[in-house]
Amino acid sequence: YTFSIDPTDVSRTSGGYYGKLVANFTGTKYTLLDRGPKAGPGVTLETERRVLGACVYEPTVSYASGGYRRMTALLPNSYKGKDENGNPILEKWDEMQDLRNMHLLTTKIPSYKKIDGQWHYCYKWGGRVKVPSVKNFQLVLQADQDAVVLLFGKMGKNIYACDFTYPLSAHQAFAIALSSIDSKLCMAF
């Protein structure tokens, strides 16, 4: 997927190009990249492409029988300075070394309730999400299962809600939500 603020030109060379979301073949791992060029001749370390986050889905057989999706998102939080415009430059993914330099988000564990004679996984949506869907999820910081940082859920046919807070940017939240509605070979039975 390509992110662009120009609907008429989504090429990497356009001024509206914002980055991309790439997936592995099975749809279990997604990587969000910024607008920088690939490392290579003529590309400086300051302008080189950076990883803005990663999203990993856990393949699960229980999905076919109604289990909830398990997802982990990693967001870098290490910066090495500022560019000529004063924007922060993200540390290279490979140089972050360990999870101390990342925010780790996990799927909130839903409650399991009996509704109309059937058992369902349920989240507290606060009236925001109206339609049950396997694509509905909430992400929390690993250290605090009560602090929801991303809420994504179905409100109607092809209408979704995506609410987020720190440490996510709008770009990161949208990419995680987009990865959720993408087809996944690992979860198709």
Side-chain angles (χ1 to χ4, degrees):
Y1 295 98
T2 299
F3 296 97
S4 176
I5 56 174
D6 182 356
T8 60
D9 185 3
V10 294
S11 68
R12 283 188 227 163
T13 57
S14 82
Y17 178 71
Y18 209 71
K20 67 181 183 175
L21 180 68
V22 294
N24 66 352
F25 176 72
T26 59
T28 56
K29 296 177 184 172
Y30 290 81
T31 305
L32 177 62
L33 304 167
D34 72 2
R35 65 178 133 220
K38 277 185 183 179
V43 177
T44 65
L45 286 175
E46 287 77 28
T47 61
E48 183 179 63
R49 177 169 43 197
R50 300 280 191 244
V51 175
L52 299 178
C55 190
V56 180
Y57 288 85
E58 191 177 306
T60 173
V61 176
S62 67
Y63 175 83
S65 62
Y68 72 99
R69 287 175 153 173
R70 290 172 184 88
M71 173 198 329
T72 302
L74 291 165
L75 306 173
N77 67 355
S78 180
Y79 297 90
K80 68 173 191 175
K82 297 187 178 204
D83 65 12
E84 64 277 355
N85 297 324
N87 298 320
I89 300 172
L90 193 59
E91 192 71 60
K92 288 184 73 173
W93 189 261
D94 298 342
E95 294 171 3
M96 289 188 211
Q97 302 297 322
D98 59 40
L99 292 177
R100 289 180 293 187
N101 295 321
M102 296 188 194
H103 295 287
L104 181 62
L105 309 177
T106 58
T107 309
K108 183 173 182 164
I109 300 168
S111 60
Y112 198 57
K113 295 181 181 176
K114 193 171 191 175
I115 302 170
D116 297 330
Q118 292 185 343
W119 287 93
H120 298 276
Y121 287 103
C122 300
Y123 290 109
K124 291 181 183 174
W125 296 107
R128 188 82 170 109
V129 175
K130 310 287 186 208
V131 180
S133 173
V134 295
K135 294 177 171 113
N136 296 348
F137 68 89
Q138 293 179 359
L139 287 182
V140 294
L141 289 168
Q142 184 188 29
D144 186 0
Q145 285 289 307
D146 294 325
V148 175
V149 295
L150 176 65
L151 173 151
F152 181 75
K154 195 167 186 173
M155 296 178 67
K157 185 174 182 178
N158 297 326
I159 301 172
Y160 292 88
C162 182
D163 300 340
F164 65 94
T165 187
Y166 177 83
L168 290 164
S169 69
H171 189 195
Q172 291 167 323
F174 182 71
I176 292 170
L178 186 60
S179 75
S180 173
I181 60 175
D182 189 28
S183 300
K184 292 164 187 48
L185 183 62
C186 73
M187 296 188 181
F189 293 101

